């Protein structure tokens, strides 16, 4: 069945790069997403990538996709205190199908 | 300003009571969703609705019910049959199919935290 896995916690020093990893099982996944959830709030779409892409860059965010290994990563350059949040990896097969979310990675920033 | 609102932000319920969580959107979105979030478990889909007067069960629908009488509204009722209802509940909506260049991008409300006493 469909499954998305990610580690629960990541701690980085302010100014360093953060890399959050995710693996998924459904090779039919066409859309892969990264959502951000700040404390006590809903989720917000950060970025997305189509399965026919290897990489996508958007300002401080870089998404890498290894389709062969079904591995997705999110790199945040120059991590700031405002980046503290839970980051969810997610996938869907089509633009109409439901989204499967991972368990979320809680990113904490050390001074 | 367009967006999704959920009310109340915090809700307390006694065991054996039904309770209804509100979700309203003014984004003109067709599809709406209810998720449950538990610590370390991510989001699990309860119910979703692709169009008015139609809805489908998600992965954990038991003990919950919904209605979709208006495009803007998708209330969720947590019934007494739900054995462990304490959780954070999130409502979301999706843009119309014609605009889905970014996949099934979902817009989330701020959530309702339900606690059973």
């Amino acid at each position: 069945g469909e499954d998305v896995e990610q580690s629960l916690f990541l701690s980085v020093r302010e100014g360093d790069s953060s890399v959050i990893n995710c693996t998924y099982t459904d090779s039919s996944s066409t859309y892969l997403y990264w959502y951000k959830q700040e404390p006590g709030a809903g989720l917000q779409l950060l970025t997305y990538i189509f399965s026919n892409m290897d990489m996508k860059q958007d300002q401080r965010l870089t998404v890498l996709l290894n389709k062969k290994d079904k591995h997705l990563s999110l790199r945040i350059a120059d991590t700031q205190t405002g980046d503290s949040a839970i980051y969810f990896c997610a996938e869907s097969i089509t633009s109409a199908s439901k989204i499967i979310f991972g368990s979320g990675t809680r990113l904490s920033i050390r001074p | 300003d367009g967006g999704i609102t959920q009310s109340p932000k915090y809700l307390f319920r006694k065991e054996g009571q039904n309770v209804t969580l509100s979700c309203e959107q003014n984004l003109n979105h067709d599809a709406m969703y209810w998720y449950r979030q538990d610590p370390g478990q991510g989001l699990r889909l309860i119910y979703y609705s692709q169009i008015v007067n139609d809805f489908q069960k998600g992965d954990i629908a038991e003990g919950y019910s919904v209605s979709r009488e208006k495009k803007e509204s998708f209330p969720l009722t947590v019934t007494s049959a739900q054995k462990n209802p304490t959780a954070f509940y999130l409502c979301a909506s999706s843009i119309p199919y014609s605009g889905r260049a970014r996949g099934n991008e979902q817009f989330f409300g701020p959530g309702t935290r339900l606690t059973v006493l």
Side-chain angles (χ1 to χ4, degrees), chain B residues 57-93:
Chain B
K57 292 182 179 180
D59 301 316
I60 56 164
E62 186 175 348
Y64 300 97
S65 66
V66 293
S67 63
R68 186 85 188 277
E69 297 175 3
K70 297 187 298 183
K71 189 176 186 177
E72 302 79 19
S73 179
F74 191 40
L76 173 75
T77 297
V78 185
T79 74
S80 56
Q82 169 51 235
K83 299 303 178 193
N84 184 21
T86 294
F88 189 52
Y89 290 87
L90 286 161
C91 179
S93 66

Side-chain angles (χ1 to χ4, degrees), chain B residues 16-48:
Chain B
Q17 284 182 337
N18 291 355
V19 65
T20 297
L21 283 59
S22 167
C23 178
E24 304 278 332
Q25 54 98 2
N26 60 3
L27 299 167
N28 198 34
H29 287 176
D30 295 312
M32 297 186 73
Y33 311 80
W34 273 106
Y35 293 93
R36 170 181 171 139
Q37 184 178 18
D38 295 284
Q41 290 194 43
L43 275 67
R44 291 183 289 169
L45 184 63
I46 304 172
Y47 267 98
Y48 63 104

Side-chain angles (χ1 to χ4, degrees), chain A residues 4-43:
Chain A
V4 178
E5 293 190 356
Q6 45 183 139
S7 55
L8 291 180
F9 301 99
L10 177 66
S11 176
V12 299
R13 195 179 302 277
E14 187 175 2
D16 288 351
S17 291
S18 306
V19 179
I20 303 171
N21 294 302
C22 167
T23 57
Y24 59 98
T25 57
D26 194 337
S27 56
S28 304
S29 299
T30 302
Y31 300 90
L32 296 133
Y33 315 84
W34 284 103
Y35 279 82
K36 177 182 180 182
Q37 183 182 32
E38 297 187 354
L43 279 68

